[in-house]
Amino acid sequence: MTSEAQVDDELAAYHRPVFDLAPLAAGLRLPLPDEPFVAFWRSLVADATARGVWPALADRLPQLAFPIAAGISESPGYRAATRRGVAVAEIPEATGLELERPETLELVLHPTAAGHIPLLIARHRPDFIGLLRALSRRNEPVPVPDGQGALMVAGYNNWCRISELKGQWERSADPDRAADWNEQFQRLQPHRELYQDRFILLSDGPYSATPAADLGLAEADWRERSLRLRRDHECAHYFTLRVFGSMRNHLHDELMADYAGIKGTFGAYRAEWFLRFLGAGEFRRPGRRLDLYRGDPPLGDVAFARLEGQVARAAEHLEQLDRDAPEDPEPFATAWTLAALATLTLDELAKDGAPEVLAARRAALRLSAPASR
């Protein structure tokens, strides 16, 4: 039998703060400047507008040149294309990723408080699954949960940008050193911002596998709202990653991200919707999303049950904060709420008085911020 002290220790470890709050102390200016990869994606969006999203992507992302097949990630050709940037035209097994409705893909650069982020939208579920497997699972036919409808692709090695770096180096290097690119690239590798990208893959299926009827919405309306909810949810993760250096599979992060998604989609936050999306409390169901955030190592049953209660109270406090706040025309109002949420741990957000603490911290952060650009 688990002792009370053991449960307390488990939860203390789960709630350990990981966000780096130093940027807040220095005064946070929003929006953040775009990351270096945005220029590449801006040109890609322009090309996609001219000749279609699928041709523009397929010319630049080598994973899209390969089918989804068991073991393909270990084939010499796949490794050459994705690890060394070898042209796919030279690789026999690069027969192409098969999509059912490639003409329906959408690609946009979305403005956020953390800078622009590319969104790749696949409204046809089989195409979303194919793209997810290609861009984050090395083209292997791994299972994709029915409730998964979005993915932040981070740390993506962009061989177009690497090729551009190589060209710049060769044009500026001593001709006698032109053969030393591999050595030069080794020196560049710690500077990942020069060649790695982030982008978000989205679908418009029902958010968290929640039926439209559960929210009293028409199917088409709920699909559009689900897409926006996912977009703002993932952009909240992007915000915490850029500002606080962390983006986790953790209930604190999910509380923050779903706040942004629900607030942005519906104009108001409701704890009931968040708990319904999690499958928590009275909305418990098989395969619920809540079970994905049990921690590593996983919380025991007693600690996890207590955590479920804590997140429910934290959500209620967040709804109170949202309900009591006056209408706010500030374009980054939600981002300031996310910043305030990052200053407290999930168990602190569950305590009495949390809405008042959050309101005070949010106000203080905005007052200390330099004038927005």
Side-chain angles (χ1 to χ4, degrees):
M1 184 173 180
T2 306
S3 71
E4 188 69 17
Q6 287 174 309
V7 171
D8 289 344
D9 287 345
E10 286 184 74
L11 289 172
Y14 188 89
H15 294 310
R16 185 178 67 253
V18 299
F19 290 137
D20 178 5
L21 302 180
L24 300 183
L28 185 63
R29 176 180 295 187
L30 299 178
L32 298 182
D34 288 340
E35 293 194 86
F37 63 76
V38 170
F40 167 83
W41 285 88
R42 196 178 299 280
S43 67
L44 202 162
V45 168
D47 187 28
T49 301
R51 63 190 184 102
V53 172
W54 182 238
L57 289 173
D59 281 353
R60 292 170 173 85
L61 309 185
Q63 292 84 355
L64 304 187
F66 294 87
I68 305 300
I72 195 167
S73 63
E74 297 304 319
S75 69
Y78 184 90
R79 291 165 67 91
T82 61
R83 297 190 180 188
R84 302 200 307 276
V86 173
V88 296
E90 305 172 14
I91 301 172
E93 58 262 49
T95 57
L97 178 68
E98 292 187 13
L99 299 185
E100 295 180 6
R101 300 179 188 173
E103 72 282 358
T104 66
L105 295 177
E106 301 167 37
L107 181 66
V108 298
L109 264 181
H110 182 62
T112 79
H116 286 82
I117 186 75
L119 309 178
L120 174 56
I121 302 168
R123 294 177 181 267
H124 185 51
R125 179 70 183 177
D127 289 351
F128 169 79
I129 292 173
L131 288 166
L132 185 151
R133 287 169 170 167
L135 296 170
S136 69
R137 302 295 187 269
R138 301 188 304 164
N139 291 71
E140 296 287 343
V142 298
V144 177
D146 291 341
Q148 182 172 4
L151 177 75
M152 171 79 74
V153 180
Y156 179 82
N157 287 337
N158 186 328
W159 285 101
C160 291
R161 294 178 67 201
I162 293 171
S163 178
E164 184 177 340
L165 288 171
K166 181 180 180 180
Q168 292 172 354
W169 181 81
E170 288 177 338
R171 288 190 295 272
S172 63
D174 185 315
D176 293 335
R177 291 179 49 79
D180 292 337
W181 164 248
N182 288 338
E183 178 184 329
Q184 172 67 7
F185 187 53
Q186 288 293 324
R187 288 194 288 268
L188 291 176
Q189 283 189 11
H191 305 284
R192 295 180 180 180
E193 72 280 1
L194 296 176
Y195 61 91
Q196 286 191 345
D197 297 2
R198 297 186 181 114
F199 55 95
I200 298 171
L201 176 63
L202 296 171
S203 74
D204 66 347
Y207 188 73
S208 286
T210 302
D214 286 3
L215 299 177
L217 299 173
E219 293 288 344
D221 184 20
W222 180 222
R223 292 186 76 89
E224 286 302 316
R225 289 177 186 267
S226 291
L227 178 61
R228 180 169 180 175
L229 209 162
R230 286 192 180 94
R231 181 198 71 191
D232 290 356
H233 177 110
E234 295 299 325
C235 288
H237 285 315
Y238 181 52
F239 178 81
T240 66
L241 182 62
R242 284 211 71 191
V243 176
F244 305 115
S246 178
M247 178 181 71
R248 304 170 294 166
N249 286 327
H250 191 280
L251 276 175
H252 190 186
D253 295 59
E254 292 304 293
L255 177 75
M256 295 169 66
D258 260 21
Y259 169 79
I262 293 169
K263 178 72 172 176
T265 302
F266 294 96
Y269 178 81
R270 285 180 57 183
E272 176 189 324
W273 292 338
F274 173 58
L275 298 177
R276 186 185 292 275
F277 297 151
L278 282 182
E282 64 180 290
F283 306 109
R284 185 185 183 95
R285 62 181 185 268
R288 61 183 184 160
R289 180 174 146 209
L290 179 69
D291 293 329
L292 299 174
Y293 309 111
R294 198 155 184 152
D296 184 19
L299 292 174
D301 290 342
V302 176
F304 192 55
R306 188 178 298 178
L307 176 66
E308 186 172 351
Q310 289 177 333
V311 78
R313 289 191 296 277
E316 291 166 2
H317 291 158
L318 193 47
E319 180 176 332
Q320 180 183 333
L321 174 77
D322 188 61
R323 184 175 60 247
D324 294 346
E327 192 68 27
D328 193 341
E330 157 69 53
F332 303 116
T334 295
W336 290 116
T337 302
L338 295 178
L341 284 166
T343 67
L344 298 175
T345 58
L346 184 58
D347 57 333
E348 290 172 334
L349 292 168
K351 293 178 180 178
D352 293 343
E356 292 77 15
V357 173
L358 278 172
R361 297 218 175 159
R362 181 175 59 186
L365 288 170
R366 289 176 63 165
L367 283 173
S368 67
S372 296
R373 291 179 287 108

